[in-house]
Each structure stands twice: as structure tokens, then as C-alpha cells.
Amino acid sequence: MAFIAASLSILLIFFGYQKFSTFDSAFEADQECHFSIKSDQLDAHYGCDHDLETRQWLLYKQSEEAGKSLVVKRFRY
């Protein structure tokens, strides 16, 4: 009985975290990503991009050289 209660508690915590740590739509995630650039007064090397496979918007910093970009923050929906 204790095992079932512990399992249900873990599942409840997991799903609660998922619900409250994500956005309800891609539009909300997009708005938050672009707002982060403006509110933090980031320079022109920062941008937002939509990743359809993982259902998230990415705030990234473009490398000074032609290398890879660095993902700064993820906005999941």
C-alpha cells in the first residue's frame, strides 16, 4: 500500500511540474522568448528560433565566428 501511495505521489509531482513549467501554446512561448531579448536588453547576437520536433522556442546567442550558436534558454510549450 505504501508503494502505491509513493508511486502516485511521484507521478503527481512529475505531472504538476510539467504543467506549471511549460507554456500553454507556441504563441506564448514565442512572446516570452522575444520579451526576454527586449527586457534583458540583449544585443543583436541574440535571437529566437522555433523547434517543431521538441515543441519549444529557443533563445540563442549567435557565435562571433561562423561556429555553432549557444542555446541560452528554452521555452517549452
Side-chain angles (χ1 to χ4, degrees):
M1 188 66 165
F3 175 74
I4 293 172
S7 298
L8 288 175
S9 296
I10 290 171
L11 284 173
L12 183 63
I13 290 170
F14 174 76
F15 287 116
Y17 174 77
Q18 286 294 104
K19 172 65 178 158
F20 294 112
S21 67
T22 59
F23 294 94
D24 292 333
S25 68
F27 177 76
E28 290 177 0
D30 172 41
Q31 293 294 305
E32 186 65 28
C33 185
H34 286 92
F35 178 75
S36 294
I37 292 174
K38 290 180 184 175
S39 67
D40 295 340
Q41 298 177 345
L42 301 175
D43 60 20
H45 294 288
Y46 287 84
C48 293
D49 192 24
H50 188 211
D51 185 0
L52 291 172
E53 291 180 15
T54 59
R55 295 179 44 109
Q56 60 188 352
W57 275 86
L58 305 171
L59 174 62
Y60 65 90
K61 180 178 183 184
Q62 186 78 18
S63 177
E64 298 288 332
E65 50 206 52
K68 294 182 179 179
S69 297
L70 173 68
V71 175
V72 177
K73 190 170 182 182
R74 299 170 190 273
F75 301 92
R76 291 180 172 82
Y77 62 92

Coordinates of all heavy atoms in Angstrom, one line a residue:
M1 N 0.8 -1.2 0.0 CA 0.0 0.0 0.0 C 0.9 1.3 0.0 O 0.5 2.2 -0.7 CB -0.9 0.0 1.2 CG -1.9 1.0 1.2 SD -3.1 0.7 -0.2 CE -4.4 1.8 0.3
A2 N 1.9 1.2 0.8 CA 2.9 2.4 0.8 C 3.5 2.6 -0.5 O 3.8 3.7 -0.9 CB 3.9 2.2 1.9
F3 N 3.8 1.5 -1.2 CA 4.5 1.6 -2.5 C 3.5 2.3 -3.5 O 4.0 3.1 -4.3 CB 4.8 0.2 -3.0 CG 5.4 0.2 -4.4 CD1 6.7 0.7 -4.7 CD2 4.6 -0.2 -5.5 CE1 7.2 0.7 -6.0 CE2 5.1 -0.2 -6.8 CZ 6.4 0.3 -7.0
I4 N 2.3 1.9 -3.5 CA 1.3 2.6 -4.4 C 1.1 4.1 -4.1 O 1.1 4.9 -5.0 CB -0.1 1.8 -4.3 CG1 0.1 0.4 -4.9 CG2 -1.1 2.6 -5.1 CD1 -1.2 -0.4 -4.6
A5 N 1.1 4.4 -2.8 CA 1.0 5.8 -2.4 C 2.2 6.6 -2.8 O 2.1 7.7 -3.3 CB 0.8 5.9 -0.9
A6 N 3.4 6.0 -2.7 CA 4.6 6.7 -3.1 C 4.7 6.8 -4.6 O 5.1 7.9 -5.1 CB 5.8 5.9 -2.6
S7 N 4.3 5.8 -5.3 CA 4.3 5.9 -6.8 C 3.3 7.0 -7.3 O 3.6 7.8 -8.2 CB 3.9 4.6 -7.4 OG 4.8 3.6 -7.0
L8 N 2.1 7.0 -6.7 CA 1.2 8.1 -7.1 C 1.7 9.5 -6.7 O 1.5 10.4 -7.5 CB -0.2 7.8 -6.4 CG -1.0 6.6 -6.9 CD1 -2.2 6.4 -6.1 CD2 -1.3 6.8 -8.4
S9 N 2.3 9.6 -5.6 CA 2.9 10.9 -5.2 C 4.0 11.3 -6.2 O 4.0 12.5 -6.6 CB 3.5 10.8 -3.8 OG 2.5 10.6 -2.9
I10 N 4.8 10.4 -6.6 CA 5.9 10.8 -7.6 C 5.3 11.2 -8.9 O 5.7 12.1 -9.5 CB 6.9 9.6 -7.7 CG1 7.7 9.4 -6.5 CG2 7.8 9.8 -8.9 CD1 8.5 8.2 -6.4
L11 N 4.2 10.4 -9.4 CA 3.6 10.8 -10.6 C 2.9 12.2 -10.5 O 2.9 12.9 -11.5 CB 2.6 9.7 -11.0 CG 3.1 8.4 -11.6 CD1 2.0 7.4 -11.7 CD2 3.8 8.7 -12.9
L12 N 2.3 12.4 -9.4 CA 1.6 13.7 -9.2 C 2.6 14.9 -9.3 O 2.4 15.9 -9.9 CB 0.8 13.7 -7.9 CG 0.0 15.0 -7.6 CD1 -1.1 15.1 -8.7 CD2 -0.6 14.9 -6.2
I13 N 3.7 14.7 -8.6 CA 4.8 15.7 -8.6 C 5.3 15.9 -10.0 O 5.5 17.0 -10.5 CB 5.9 15.3 -7.6 CG1 5.4 15.5 -6.2 CG2 7.1 16.2 -7.8 CD1 6.3 14.9 -5.2
F14 N 5.5 14.8 -10.7 CA 6.1 14.9 -12.1 C 5.1 15.7 -13.0 O 5.5 16.6 -13.7 CB 6.4 13.5 -12.7 CG 6.8 13.5 -14.1 CD1 8.0 13.9 -14.5 CD2 5.9 13.1 -15.1 CE1 8.4 13.9 -15.8 CE2 6.2 13.1 -16.4 CZ 7.5 13.5 -16.8
F15 N 3.8 15.3 -13.0 CA 2.9 15.9 -13.9 C 2.6 17.4 -13.5 O 2.3 18.2 -14.3 CB 1.6 15.1 -14.0 CG 1.7 13.9 -14.8 CD1 1.6 12.6 -14.3 CD2 2.1 13.9 -16.2 CE1 1.8 11.5 -15.0 CE2 2.2 12.8 -16.9 CZ 2.1 11.6 -16.4
G16 N 2.6 17.6 -12.2 CA 2.5 19.0 -11.7 C 3.6 19.9 -12.2 O 3.4 21.0 -12.6
Y17 N 4.8 19.4 -12.1 CA 6.0 20.1 -12.6 C 5.9 20.4 -14.1 O 6.1 21.5 -14.6 CB 7.3 19.3 -12.3 CG 8.5 20.0 -12.9 CD1 9.1 21.1 -12.3 CD2 9.1 19.5 -14.1 CE1 10.2 21.7 -12.9 CE2 10.2 20.1 -14.6 CZ 10.8 21.2 -14.0 OH 11.9 21.8 -14.5
Q18 N 5.5 19.4 -14.9 CA 5.3 19.5 -16.3 C 4.3 20.6 -16.7 O 4.5 21.4 -17.6 CB 4.9 18.2 -17.0 CG 6.0 17.2 -17.1 CD 7.1 17.6 -18.0 OE1 8.2 18.1 -17.5 NE2 6.9 17.6 -19.3
K19 N 3.2 20.6 -15.9 CA 2.1 21.5 -16.2 C 2.5 23.0 -15.9 O 2.2 23.9 -16.7 CB 0.9 21.1 -15.4 CG -0.3 22.1 -15.5 CD -0.9 22.2 -16.8 CE -2.0 23.2 -16.8 NZ -2.3 23.7 -18.1
F20 N 3.2 23.2 -14.8 CA 3.5 24.6 -14.4 C 4.8 25.1 -14.9 O 5.2 26.2 -14.7 CB 3.4 24.7 -12.9 CG 2.0 24.5 -12.4 CD1 1.7 23.4 -11.6 CD2 1.0 25.4 -12.7 CE1 0.4 23.2 -11.1 CE2 -0.3 25.2 -12.2 CZ -0.6 24.1 -11.4
S21 N 5.6 24.2 -15.6 CA 6.9 24.7 -16.1 C 6.9 24.9 -17.6 O 7.9 25.1 -18.2 CB 8.0 23.7 -15.7 OG 7.8 22.5 -16.4
T22 N 5.7 24.7 -18.2 CA 5.6 24.9 -19.7 C 4.6 26.0 -20.0 O 3.7 26.3 -19.2 CB 5.2 23.6 -20.4 OG1 4.0 23.1 -19.9 CG2 6.3 22.5 -20.2
F23 N 4.6 26.4 -21.3 CA 3.6 27.4 -21.7 C 2.4 26.6 -22.4 O 2.6 25.5 -22.8 CB 4.2 28.4 -22.7 CG 5.3 29.2 -22.1 CD1 6.6 28.9 -22.1 CD2 4.9 30.4 -21.5 CE1 7.6 29.7 -21.6 CE2 5.8 31.2 -20.9 CZ 7.2 30.9 -20.9
D24 N 1.3 27.3 -22.4 CA 0.1 26.6 -23.0 C 0.1 26.6 -24.5 O -0.6 25.7 -25.1 CB -1.2 27.4 -22.5 CG -1.4 27.2 -21.0 OD1 -1.0 26.2 -20.5 OD2 -2.0 28.1 -20.4
S25 N 0.9 27.4 -25.2 CA 0.9 27.4 -26.6 C 2.2 27.9 -27.1 O 3.0 28.5 -26.4 CB -0.2 28.3 -27.1 OG 0.1 29.7 -26.8
A26 N 2.4 27.7 -28.4 CA 3.7 28.1 -29.1 C 3.7 29.6 -29.1 O 4.8 30.3 -29.0 CB 3.8 27.6 -30.5
F27 N 2.5 30.3 -29.2 CA 2.5 31.7 -29.3 C 3.0 32.3 -28.0 O 3.8 33.3 -28.0 CB 1.0 32.2 -29.5 CG 0.8 33.7 -29.5 CD1 1.3 34.4 -30.5 CD2 0.3 34.3 -28.4 CE1 1.1 35.8 -30.5 CE2 0.1 35.6 -28.4 CZ 0.5 36.4 -29.4
E28 N 2.6 31.8 -26.8 CA 3.0 32.3 -25.5 C 4.5 32.1 -25.4 O 5.2 33.0 -24.8 CB 2.3 31.6 -24.4 CG 0.8 31.9 -24.3 CD 0.1 31.1 -23.2 OE1 0.8 30.3 -22.5 OE2 -1.1 31.4 -23.0
A29 N 5.0 30.9 -25.8 CA 6.5 30.7 -25.7 C 7.2 31.7 -26.6 O 8.3 32.2 -26.2 CB 6.8 29.2 -26.1
D30 N 6.7 31.9 -27.8 CA 7.4 32.9 -28.7 C 7.4 34.3 -28.1 O 8.4 35.0 -28.1 CB 6.6 32.9 -30.0 CG 7.0 34.0 -31.0 OD1 8.2 34.2 -31.1 OD2 6.2 34.6 -31.6
Q31 N 6.3 34.7 -27.5 CA 6.2 36.0 -26.9 C 7.2 36.2 -25.8 O 7.9 37.2 -25.6 CB 4.8 36.3 -26.4 CG 3.8 36.5 -27.5 CD 4.0 37.7 -28.4 OE1 4.1 38.8 -27.9 NE2 4.2 37.5 -29.7
E32 N 7.3 35.1 -25.0 CA 8.2 35.2 -23.8 C 9.7 35.2 -24.3 O 10.5 35.9 -23.7 CB 8.0 34.0 -22.9 CG 8.8 34.0 -21.6 CD 8.4 35.2 -20.7 OE1 7.2 35.6 -20.7 OE2 9.3 35.6 -19.9
C33 N 10.0 34.5 -25.3 CA 11.4 34.5 -25.8 C 11.8 35.8 -26.3 O 12.8 36.4 -26.0 CB 11.5 33.4 -27.0 SG 13.2 33.2 -27.6
H34 N 10.9 36.4 -27.2 CA 11.2 37.8 -27.7 C 11.2 38.8 -26.6 O 12.0 39.8 -26.6 CB 10.3 38.1 -28.8 CG 10.6 37.4 -30.1 ND1 10.0 36.2 -30.4 CD2 11.5 37.6 -31.1 CE1 10.5 35.8 -31.5 NE2 11.4 36.6 -32.0
F35 N 10.3 38.7 -25.6 CA 10.3 39.6 -24.5 C 11.6 39.5 -23.7 O 12.1 40.6 -23.2 CB 9.1 39.3 -23.6 CG 9.0 40.2 -22.4 CD1 8.6 41.5 -22.5 CD2 9.4 39.7 -21.1 CE1 8.5 42.4 -21.4 CE2 9.3 40.6 -20.0 CZ 8.9 41.9 -20.1
S36 N 12.1 38.3 -23.5 CA 13.4 38.2 -22.8 C 14.5 39.0 -23.5 O 15.4 39.5 -22.8 CB 13.8 36.7 -22.7 OG 12.9 36.0 -22.0
I37 N 14.5 39.0 -24.8 CA 15.6 39.7 -25.5 C 15.4 41.2 -25.3 O 16.4 41.9 -25.0 CB 15.5 39.4 -27.1 CG1 15.9 38.0 -27.4 CG2 16.4 40.4 -27.8 CD1 15.7 37.6 -28.8
K38 N 14.2 41.7 -25.3 CA 14.0 43.2 -25.1 C 14.2 43.6 -23.6 O 14.8 44.6 -23.3 CB 12.6 43.5 -25.5 CG 12.4 43.5 -27.0 CD 11.0 43.9 -27.4 CE 10.8 43.7 -28.9 NZ 9.5 44.0 -29.4
S39 N 13.6 42.8 -22.7 CA 13.7 43.2 -21.3 C 15.1 43.1 -20.7 O 15.5 43.9 -19.9 CB 12.8 42.3 -20.5 OG 13.2 41.0 -20.4
D40 N 15.9 42.1 -21.2 CA 17.3 42.0 -20.7 C 18.2 42.9 -21.5 O 19.4 42.8 -21.3 CB 17.7 40.5 -20.8 CG 16.9 39.6 -19.9 OD1 16.3 40.2 -18.9 OD2 16.9 38.4 -20.1
Q41 N 17.7 43.6 -22.5 CA 18.5 44.5 -23.4 C 19.7 43.7 -24.0 O 20.8 44.2 -23.9 CB 18.9 45.7 -22.7 CG 17.7 46.5 -22.2 CD 18.2 47.7 -21.4 OE1 19.3 47.8 -20.9 NE2 17.2 48.6 -21.2
L42 N 19.4 42.6 -24.6 CA 20.5 41.8 -25.2 C 20.8 42.4 -26.6 O 20.0 43.0 -27.2 CB 20.0 40.3 -25.4 CG 19.6 39.6 -24.0 CD1 19.1 38.2 -24.3 CD2 20.8 39.6 -23.1
D43 N 22.0 42.2 -27.0 CA 22.5 42.7 -28.3 C 22.0 41.9 -29.5 O 21.2 41.0 -29.4 CB 24.0 42.9 -28.3 CG 24.7 41.5 -28.2 OD1 24.1 40.5 -28.4 OD2 25.9 41.6 -27.8
A44 N 22.4 42.4 -30.6 CA 21.9 41.8 -31.9 C 22.4 40.3 -32.1 O 21.9 39.7 -33.0 CB 22.4 42.6 -33.1
H45 N 23.3 39.8 -31.3 CA 23.8 38.5 -31.4 C 22.8 37.4 -30.9 O 23.0 36.2 -31.0 CB 25.1 38.3 -30.8 CG 26.2 39.1 -31.4 ND1 26.8 38.8 -32.6 CD2 26.9 40.2 -31.0 CE1 27.7 39.7 -33.0 NE2 27.8 40.5 -32.0
Y46 N 21.7 37.9 -30.2 CA 20.7 37.0 -29.6 C 19.5 36.9 -30.6 O 19.2 37.9 -31.2 CB 20.3 37.5 -28.3 CG 21.4 37.3 -27.2 CD1 22.4 38.2 -27.0 CD2 21.4 36.2 -26.4 CE1 23.4 38.1 -26.1 CE2 22.3 36.0 -25.4 CZ 23.3 37.0 -25.3 OH 24.3 36.8 -24.3
G47 N 18.9 35.8 -30.5 CA 17.7 35.6 -31.3 C 16.8 34.5 -30.8 O 17.2 33.7 -29.9
C48 N 15.6 34.3 -31.4 CA 14.7 33.2 -31.0 C 14.4 32.4 -32.2 O 14.4 32.9 -33.3 CB 13.4 33.8 -30.5 SG 13.5 34.7 -29.0
D49 N 14.3 31.1 -32.0 CA 14.0 30.2 -33.1 C 13.1 29.1 -32.6 O 13.1 28.7 -31.4 CB 15.3 29.5 -33.6 CG 15.1 28.8 -34.9 OD1 14.1 29.1 -35.6 OD2 15.9 27.9 -35.2
H50 N 12.2 28.6 -33.4 CA 11.2 27.6 -33.1 C 11.7 26.2 -33.5 O 12.1 26.0 -34.6 CB 9.9 28.0 -33.8 CG 8.7 27.1 -33.4 ND1 7.7 26.8 -34.3 CD2 8.4 26.6 -32.2 CE1 6.8 26.0 -33.6 NE2 7.2 25.9 -32.4
D51 N 11.6 25.3 -32.6 CA 12.0 23.9 -32.8 C 10.7 23.1 -32.8 O 10.1 22.8 -31.7 CB 13.0 23.4 -31.8 CG 13.5 22.0 -32.1 OD1 13.0 21.4 -33.1 OD2 14.3 21.5 -31.4
L52 N 10.2 22.7 -34.0 CA 8.9 21.9 -34.0 C 9.0 20.5 -33.4 O 8.1 20.0 -32.9 CB 8.5 21.8 -35.5 CG 8.1 23.1 -36.2 CD1 7.8 22.9 -37.6 CD2 6.8 23.7 -35.5
E53 N 10.2 19.9 -33.6 CA 10.3 18.5 -33.1 C 10.2 18.4 -31.6 O 9.6 17.5 -31.1 CB 11.6 17.9 -33.6 CG 11.7 17.7 -35.0 CD 13.0 17.1 -35.5 OE1 13.8 16.6 -34.6 OE2 13.3 17.1 -36.7
T54 N 10.8 19.3 -30.9 CA 10.8 19.3 -29.4 C 9.8 20.2 -28.8 O 9.7 20.3 -27.6 CB 12.2 19.6 -28.9 OG1 12.5 20.9 -29.3 CG2 13.2 18.6 -29.3
R55 N 8.9 20.9 -29.6 CA 7.9 21.8 -29.1 C 8.4 22.8 -28.2 O 8.0 22.9 -27.0 CB 6.7 21.0 -28.5 CG 6.0 20.1 -29.5 CD 4.9 19.3 -28.8 NE 4.1 20.1 -27.9 CZ 2.9 20.5 -28.1 NH1 2.3 20.1 -29.2 NH2 2.2 21.2 -27.2
Q56 N 9.4 23.6 -28.7 CA 9.9 24.7 -27.8 C 10.5 25.8 -28.7 O 10.8 25.6 -29.8 CB 11.0 24.1 -26.9 CG 12.2 23.5 -27.6 CD 13.1 22.8 -26.7 OE1 13.0 22.9 -25.5 NE2 14.1 22.1 -27.2
W57 N 10.6 27.0 -28.0 CA 11.3 28.1 -28.6 C 12.6 28.2 -27.9 O 12.7 28.0 -26.7 CB 10.5 29.4 -28.4 CG 9.4 29.6 -29.5 CD1 8.2 29.1 -29.5 CD2 9.6 30.3 -30.7 NE1 7.5 29.5 -30.6 CE2 8.4 30.2 -31.4 CE3 10.6 31.0 -31.3 CZ2 8.1 30.8 -32.6 CZ3 10.4 31.6 -32.5 CH2 9.2 31.5 -33.2
L58 N 13.6 28.5 -28.7 CA 15.0 28.6 -28.2 C 15.5 30.0 -28.2 O 15.5 30.7 -29.3 CB 15.9 27.7 -29.0 CG 15.5 26.2 -29.1 CD1 16.4 25.5 -30.1 CD2 15.6 25.6 -27.8
L59 N 16.0 30.5 -27.1 CA 16.7 31.8 -27.1 C 18.2 31.4 -27.2 O 18.7 30.6 -26.5 CB 16.5 32.5 -25.7 CG 17.3 33.8 -25.5 CD1 17.0 34.8 -26.5 CD2 17.1 34.3 -24.1
Y60 N 18.8 31.9 -28.3 CA 20.2 31.5 -28.6 C 21.1 32.8 -28.8 O 20.6 33.9 -29.0 CB 20.2 30.7 -29.8 CG 19.8 31.4 -31.1 CD1 20.8 32.1 -31.9 CD2 18.5 31.4 -31.5 CE1 20.4 32.7 -33.0 CE2 18.1 32.1 -32.7 CZ 19.1 32.8 -33.4 OH 18.7 33.4 -34.5
K61 N 22.4 32.5 -28.6 CA 23.4 33.6 -28.9 C 24.2 33.1 -30.1 O 24.8 32.0 -30.1 CB 24.3 33.8 -27.7 CG 25.3 34.9 -27.9 CD 26.2 35.1 -26.7 CE 27.1 36.3 -27.1 NZ 28.0 36.5 -26.0
Q62 N 24.2 33.9 -31.1 CA 25.0 33.7 -32.3 C 26.5 33.8 -32.0 O 26.9 34.8 -31.4 CB 24.6 34.6 -33.4 CG 25.2 34.3 -34.8 CD 24.5 33.2 -35.5 OE1 23.4 32.8 -35.1 NE2 25.2 32.6 -36.4
S63 N 27.3 32.9 -32.5 CA 28.7 33.0 -32.2 C 29.3 34.1 -33.0 O 28.8 34.5 -34.1 CB 29.3 31.7 -32.6 OG 30.7 31.7 -32.5
E64 N 30.4 34.7 -32.5 CA 31.1 35.8 -33.2 C 31.6 35.3 -34.5 O 31.7 36.0 -35.5 CB 32.2 36.4 -32.3 CG 31.7 37.0 -31.0 CD 31.0 38.3 -31.2 OE1 31.3 39.0 -32.2 OE2 30.2 38.6 -30.3
E65 N 32.1 34.1 -34.5 CA 32.6 33.5 -35.7 C 31.6 32.6 -36.3 O 30.4 32.6 -35.8 CB 33.9 32.7 -35.4 CG 33.7 31.8 -34.2 CD 34.9 31.4 -33.5 OE1 35.7 32.3 -33.1 OE2 35.2 30.2 -33.3
A66 N 31.9 31.9 -37.3 CA 30.9 31.1 -38.1 C 30.6 29.8 -37.4 O 30.2 28.8 -38.0 CB 31.3 30.9 -39.5
G67 N 30.9 29.7 -36.1 CA 30.7 28.4 -35.4 C 29.2 28.2 -35.0 O 28.3 28.8 -35.5
K68 N 29.1 27.3 -34.0 CA 27.7 27.0 -33.5 C 27.2 28.1 -32.7 O 27.9 28.8 -32.0 CB 27.8 25.7 -32.7 CG 28.1 24.4 -33.5 CD 28.1 23.2 -32.6 CE 28.5 22.0 -33.4 NZ 28.5 20.8 -32.6
S69 N 25.8 28.1 -32.6 CA 25.2 29.0 -31.7 C 25.0 28.3 -30.4 O 25.0 27.1 -30.3 CB 23.8 29.4 -32.2 OG 23.9 30.1 -33.4
L70 N 24.9 29.1 -29.3 CA 24.7 28.6 -28.0 C 23.3 28.8 -27.5 O 22.8 30.0 -27.5 CB 25.7 29.3 -27.0 CG 25.6 29.0 -25.5 CD1 26.0 27.6 -25.3 CD2 26.4 30.0 -24.7
V71 N 22.6 27.8 -27.1 CA 21.2 27.9 -26.6 C 21.3 28.5 -25.1 O 22.0 27.9 -24.3 CB 20.5 26.6 -26.6 CG1 19.1 26.7 -25.9 CG2 20.3 26.1 -28.0
V72 N 20.7 29.6 -24.9 CA 20.7 30.3 -23.6 C 19.6 29.8 -22.7 O 19.7 29.5 -21.6 CB 20.7 31.8 -23.8 CG1 20.7 32.5 -22.5 CG2 21.9 32.3 -24.6
K73 N 18.4 29.7 -23.4 CA 17.2 29.3 -22.6 C 16.2 28.6 -23.5 O 16.1 28.9 -24.7 CB 16.5 30.6 -22.0 CG 15.5 30.3 -21.0 CD 15.1 31.5 -20.2 CE 14.0 31.2 -19.2 NZ 13.5 32.3 -18.5
R74 N 15.4 27.7 -22.9 CA 14.4 27.0 -23.7 C 13.0 27.4 -23.1 O 12.8 27.5 -21.9 CB 14.6 25.5 -23.5 CG 15.9 25.1 -24.1 CD 16.2 23.6 -23.7 NE 17.5 23.2 -24.1 CZ 17.9 22.8 -25.2 NH1 17.1 22.6 -26.2 NH2 19.2 22.5 -25.5
F75 N 12.0 27.6 -24.0 CA 10.7 27.9 -23.7 C 9.8 26.8 -24.2 O 9.4 26.8 -25.4 CB 10.3 29.3 -24.2 CG 11.1 30.4 -23.8 CD1 12.3 30.8 -24.5 CD2 10.8 31.1 -22.6 CE1 13.1 31.8 -24.1 CE2 11.7 32.1 -22.2 CZ 12.8 32.5 -23.0
R76 N 9.5 25.8 -23.4 CA 8.7 24.7 -23.8 C 7.2 25.0 -23.7 O 6.7 25.7 -22.9 CB 9.0 23.5 -22.9 CG 10.4 22.9 -23.1 CD 10.6 21.7 -22.2 NE 11.9 21.1 -22.5 CZ 13.1 21.5 -22.1 NH1 13.2 22.6 -21.3 NH2 14.2 20.9 -22.4
Y77 N 6.5 24.4 -24.6 CA 5.0 24.5 -24.7 C 4.4 23.2 -24.8 O 5.0 22.2 -25.1 CB 4.5 25.5 -25.7 CG 4.9 25.1 -27.1 CD1 3.9 24.4 -27.9 CD2 6.1 25.5 -27.7 CE1 4.2 24.1 -29.2 CE2 6.3 25.2 -29.0 CZ 5.4 24.5 -29.8 OH 5.7 24.1 -31.1

